[in-house]
Amino acid sequence: MSVRVEKVFQLRCEVQTYAWGKRGTSSEVASLIQSADPSFSIDEEQTYAELWMGTHPRGASVIAKTNTSLEQWISQNPECLGSKVMERFSGKLPFLFKVLSVNISLSIQAHPNKALAEELHRRDAAHYADSNHKPEMAIALSAFEGLCGFRPAAEIAEHLQSE
């Protein structure tokens, strides 16, 4: 007899309260946390900047029903990643899903590629908490202005056409 493994479940996710986040009930992050946990009380003076869903050591998600870390559940059910992801990333979740609630402009960010991220983590884990690269994708859930890159649009188009 096989045991049925639950594959869809509610997560308790970590909130990052960076200074650039929106305050109180104006934050989508705070609203999402409260919708998952009605006992969560939103502090109108607190910033709620990021909601993290994943296995990052500084904000790992937990399966609400069992109190099992998402990382532990994945290690016990690695097939959930699919065979290619499981093989390529050694059975680890290769991304951190974030919902951002931005009140003020964010600083410029530069992230290393996977090889450099592994080397930096190996040399200085205190400053490079994990060995993953940081590919990013933004999907706006509300009005949002963003700037990505420093080249003029015409130069980018020319570069793409020459490739």
Side-chain angles (χ1 to χ4, degrees):
M1 179 171 90
S2 65
V3 176
R4 183 178 162 268
V5 176
E6 194 171 350
K7 295 184 180 182
V8 177
F9 35 77
Q10 184 174 350
L11 295 176
R12 277 198 321 269
C13 302
E14 288 294 317
V15 174
Q16 305 300 326
T17 57
Y18 305 131
W20 51 261
K22 287 187 178 180
R23 292 190 184 279
T25 52
S26 70
S27 171
E28 189 65 27
V29 167
S31 297
L32 287 169
I33 287 292
Q34 190 172 56
S35 71
D37 178 5
S39 69
F40 177 78
S41 178
I42 299 174
D43 177 350
E44 290 299 332
E45 298 304 312
Q46 179 64 58
T47 56
Y48 300 94
E50 295 183 354
L51 176 68
W52 286 12
M53 290 169 263
T55 59
H56 192 284
R58 292 190 181 154
S61 297
V62 173
I63 298 169
K65 188 176 180 180
T66 63
N67 219 30
T68 305
S69 74
L70 182 58
E71 184 172 31
Q72 181 182 358
W73 188 89
I74 290 171
S75 72
Q76 294 168 348
N77 302 278
E79 68 282 354
C80 74
L81 298 172
S83 59
K84 290 180 181 179
V85 172
M86 188 170 63
E87 182 180 321
R88 182 171 178 191
F89 297 99
S90 305
K92 304 284 186 195
L93 186 66
F95 63 87
L96 174 62
F97 184 89
K98 297 180 182 181
V99 175
L100 278 62
S101 192
V102 180
N103 189 45
I104 58 175
S105 298
L106 301 174
S107 61
I108 294 173
Q109 297 184 2
H111 298 299
N113 63 25
K114 178 69 172 155
L116 181 56
E118 288 173 344
E119 174 63 25
L120 292 170
H121 177 69
R122 191 172 26 261
R123 284 194 318 215
D124 187 5
H127 289 99
Y128 298 93
D130 67 66
S131 60
N132 286 313
H133 57 316
K134 308 286 189 282
E136 295 184 350
M137 175 184 351
I139 301 170
L141 302 177
S142 60
F144 187 83
E145 290 183 28
L147 171 66
C148 181
F150 297 95
R151 294 180 184 202
E155 185 178 331
I156 293 169
E158 182 182 317
H159 179 73
L160 290 172
Q161 290 171 359
S162 68
E163 295 292 322

